Amino acid sequence: MGFYSGDSWGIDFGTTNSTLSAYIGGQYGSREPALFAFDEAGRPVPSVVAISKESGAVYVGLDAKKRHLSEPEKYEYIRSVKTILEDDGWHKNIAGKDWRAVDVAAEIFKKIKTLAERQSYILKDAVVAVPNGASGKKRDKIMESARMAGIRIVQFVTEPIAAFFANYRTLRNERYVAVFDWGGGTLDITILENGADGKIVELAKEGMQLAGDDIDKAVAQDIHRRLCEFHGLDRPFSEMPSLARETLIEVCERGKCELRDKTETEILLTDYGGLTVFEKLTRENLSLIARPFVKKALECLSKAIDNSRLSRDDIGKILVVGGSCKLRSVVEGLARMFSDRSDILVLPKDAEWNVAKGSARIDLKKGQWFSAEDIGIILGDESKTFYPILHGYFNASPSSLNHFNISLGFGIMDTSEYPRIVFAARDGYRNIRVLDATVVARAYGFLSEKIEFSVLVDDSLVLRVKIKSDRAAERDATVWEYSDMRLVYEAPQI
């Protein structure tokens, strides 16, 4: 059987689930590529890995879940690996092999690649979506994990912009759109402006590290509370064996998902620290448990709208994506927040694939990226002048982020050995906000000394600035990164 190469690929490497989509063309005589979503038994790939403690055999996705639930003591089970990628100290020795977080993540990318190979496609290059504000280190680790699986990440894209493009036909006539993306690990809210010139502008971004995994844990803690009341157990959830806690959380996560289509379900576990778990979970129970999480999420949305300088009435649509958004209490809470506008919510049927589909579309169109703000430094003169090192999209000659790379030199006004550098952003209204006032460089007090800036934006869409005296060695350089730029995407043809 021959293999086909996809025209463009998009990956959503998620905390709870991961998905793959592609635009494929040329097989059936069609001039336009067709969009495909690759799945595991009709579902996204759960971002979990089970490793046999005896043989070291590796299982990913649904197979890993089944093995963990049936024989948890035989497997080292790793979930939500995306949340630990930046932890260099995380490692486990399993069956004689030392595993790092990037090694575990690589197995998920290998599984994703296998989904394409099963249908005779070769996945080599892809656009991968990341949450708002994902650090440069996290992006580097994701890139390393993908590379270990034989996938080259050609570009990162923020998840909200990817979700927008997956639903462009529905949203193309709306000037202002709020993307409410609540997955397993994070809530990302972005207010977008759909400009007449084809530019999609991030006006404001808000988020929180509070999402589906936290709700799963809260459900498990509630089940634990019931067990304590029924059995007279006087043992906090935090003091239960780690395997028992993780297994109960896993069962509760599955029960939570079942309540999308049922009014109640059963939480069953034969061995929970010596106890048998047999409890009912209803939609009403779940709504009560999720209520404080939903309240914080809606407050986060309100803050994002305020920061965008818009009102609620200005928002044309709210695009609701991510696994946690399938909770009825989330949809009901959003509906109450905009009670007089019944048509404001956009709820895609294939929401779990939206980010991957949008990423594939961006890979297909290959547009230009810009910053929504000028990024620069505050000079140490009397006027505290803002000096831009990267020009935002609203300038006559904006700086394209695609392969942006410049060098600059600055003089020193005093003999300080550690001059402070204040990085700041300036918007189109010329309002300035300080990004970081803690950066210092190593200087030597020479009259002719110059502080050199090497500035670049790579495919990670992270601004990286290397700062050093022209009299200093490379080892004395200071590196500043800015991974939370407000981005602008200009598609050539949407």
Side-chain angles (χ1 to χ4, degrees):
M1 181 181 293
F3 279 81
Y4 302 96
S5 179
D7 288 339
S8 62
W9 296 89
I11 296 174
D12 178 10
F13 173 58
T15 302
T16 305
N17 294 297
S18 295
T19 53
L20 170 68
S21 288
Y23 279 89
I24 308 293
Q27 293 167 257
Y28 309 109
S30 172
R31 293 183 180 179
E32 292 296 324
L35 178 63
F36 288 81
F38 298 82
D39 56 48
E40 183 179 25
R43 293 180 51 190
V45 177
S47 300
V48 294
V49 176
I51 306 170
S52 170
K53 295 178 181 178
E54 182 177 345
S55 67
V58 180
Y59 306 91
V60 181
L62 292 177
D63 196 6
K65 277 195 171 187
K66 290 175 183 177
R67 290 174 183 274
H68 172 63
L69 292 174
S70 62
E71 298 179 295
E73 70 284 350
K74 292 186 178 181
Y75 299 92
E76 190 70 46
Y77 187 69
I78 302 112
R79 66 201 300 265
S80 303
V81 66
K82 187 176 174 181
T83 64
I84 58 172
L85 272 177
E86 295 176 90
D87 183 359
D88 293 329
W90 190 97
H91 66 90
K92 290 181 180 288
N93 190 283
I94 308 168
K97 178 180 177 180
D98 193 52
W99 287 80
R100 304 166 299 158
V102 289
D103 300 318
V104 177
E107 296 298 326
I108 297 172
F109 278 106
K110 289 177 185 177
K111 178 70 174 184
I112 290 171
K113 189 173 184 178
T114 299
L115 294 180
E117 291 174 347
R118 286 176 182 172
Q119 297 188 42
S120 301
Y121 296 109
I122 300 174
L123 169 56
K124 291 183 177 179
D125 303 330
V127 168
V128 175
V130 292
N132 280 334
S135 70
K137 182 176 181 180
K138 175 168 281 189
R139 298 180 198 213
D140 290 343
K141 294 291 187 180
I142 292 173
M143 192 172 286
E144 180 183 352
S145 299
R147 185 169 58 247
M148 292 168 65
I151 301 171
R152 183 174 72 97
I153 297 178
V154 296
Q155 180 74 74
F156 282 109
V157 59
T158 60
E159 292 171 359
I161 286 183
F164 176 87
F165 276 101
N167 296 276
Y168 183 76
R169 290 182 180 179
T170 302
L171 302 172
R172 61 185 173 186
N173 294 323
E174 303 293 342
R175 182 170 182 186
Y176 299 112
V177 174
V179 181
F180 189 93
D181 182 2
W182 206 6
T186 59
L187 168 68
D188 286 319
I189 297 174
T190 305
I191 310 301
L192 298 176
E193 180 180 10
N194 182 15
D197 56 357
K199 291 186 175 72
I200 310 303
V201 183
E202 292 182 341
L203 297 178
K205 301 190 289 187
E206 290 294 331
M208 60 180 188
Q209 301 290 322
L210 195 68
D213 285 358
D214 301 282
I215 296 174
D216 299 340
K217 184 177 179 180
V219 174
Q221 290 173 323
D222 186 69
I223 296 296
H224 176 85
R225 177 189 58 78
R226 294 191 221 172
L227 290 172
C228 289
E229 292 177 356
F230 183 79
H231 293 284
L233 181 66
D234 184 20
R235 190 175 185 182
F237 179 76
S238 60
E239 294 182 7
M240 293 296 292
S242 59
L243 178 59
R245 293 198 311 270
E246 286 298 315
T247 307
L248 180 58
I249 290 172
E250 192 71 31
V251 173
C252 289
E253 188 267 339
R254 184 171 62 178
K256 180 191 72 175
C257 294
E258 289 174 353
L259 291 179
R260 296 171 184 172
D261 305 311
K262 301 161 66 173
T263 57
E264 67 175 45
T265 188
E266 294 174 340
I267 305 298
L268 303 174
L269 191 59
T270 55
D271 183 11
Y272 177 65
L275 298 175
T276 299
V277 177
F278 182 79
E279 295 286 340
K280 284 186 177 181
L281 180 64
T282 67
R283 281 182 182 169
E284 184 178 0
N285 296 145
L286 182 58
S287 293
L288 288 172
I289 294 169
R291 181 177 294 171
F293 299 92
V294 175
K295 182 175 182 291
K296 290 181 180 180
L298 297 181
E299 290 171 351
C300 198
L301 173 58
S302 292
K303 185 177 179 181
I305 295 173
D306 290 343
N307 290 343
S308 70
R309 298 172 180 261
L310 301 175
S311 68
R312 291 188 188 183
D313 291 338
D314 292 322
I315 304 299
K317 295 289 184 185
I318 300 175
L319 174 61
V320 185
V321 294
S324 299
C325 289
K326 290 193 173 183
L327 289 173
R328 286 178 177 265
S329 55
V330 175
V331 176
E332 291 169 355
L334 288 167
R336 285 193 301 271
M337 187 173 175
F338 295 84
S339 57
D340 58 336
R341 302 169 62 192
S342 59
D343 64 340
I344 194 171
L345 299 185
V346 177
L347 304 166
K349 292 182 180 179
D350 58 350
E352 289 160 307
W353 271 272
N354 267 216
V355 169
K357 286 182 176 181
S359 300
R361 187 166 192 170
I362 286 173
D363 188 31
L364 182 68
K365 296 299 181 181
K366 294 181 173 61
Q368 292 251 56
W369 291 95
F370 301 91
S371 170
E373 303 174 297
D374 293 333
I375 308 296
I377 61 172
I378 305 294
L379 297 180
D381 55 15
E382 292 182 0
S383 62
K384 301 297 182 184
T385 306
F386 175 85
Y387 184 90
I389 58 178
L390 185 154
H391 294 281
Y393 79 104
F394 47 79
N395 287 279
S397 299
S399 304
S400 171
L401 302 185
N402 300 58
H403 310 296
F404 179 80
N405 191 338
I406 63 169
S407 297
L408 300 168
F410 297 91
I412 303 175
M413 297 183 65
D414 56 34
T415 58
S416 171
E417 292 186 9
Y418 296 96
R420 185 166 62 97
I421 299 162
V422 179
F423 286 95
R426 182 176 64 186
D427 64 22
Y429 301 99
R430 306 194 70 79
N431 297 307
I432 296 173
R433 62 190 179 95
V434 172
L435 301 174
D436 195 336
T438 66
V439 182
V440 295
R442 180 71 173 91
Y444 297 89
F446 294 100
L447 292 176
S448 59
E449 189 172 9
K450 182 172 65 174
I451 299 297
E452 299 175 333
F453 279 39
S454 298
V455 188
L456 65 86
V457 178
D458 58 19
D459 291 333
S460 299
L461 291 178
V462 175
L463 176 67
R464 305 174 194 261
V465 184
K466 184 173 74 172
I467 309 158
K468 63 178 281 299
S469 165
D470 62 348
R471 307 297 180 94
E474 285 293 325
R475 65 175 180 272
D476 293 326
T478 298
V479 177
W480 181 75
E481 292 186 351
Y482 185 45
S483 61
D484 201 21
M485 276 190 290
R486 296 175 187 171
L487 296 172
V488 178
Y489 180 71
E490 182 180 43
Q493 293 179 354
I494 300 177

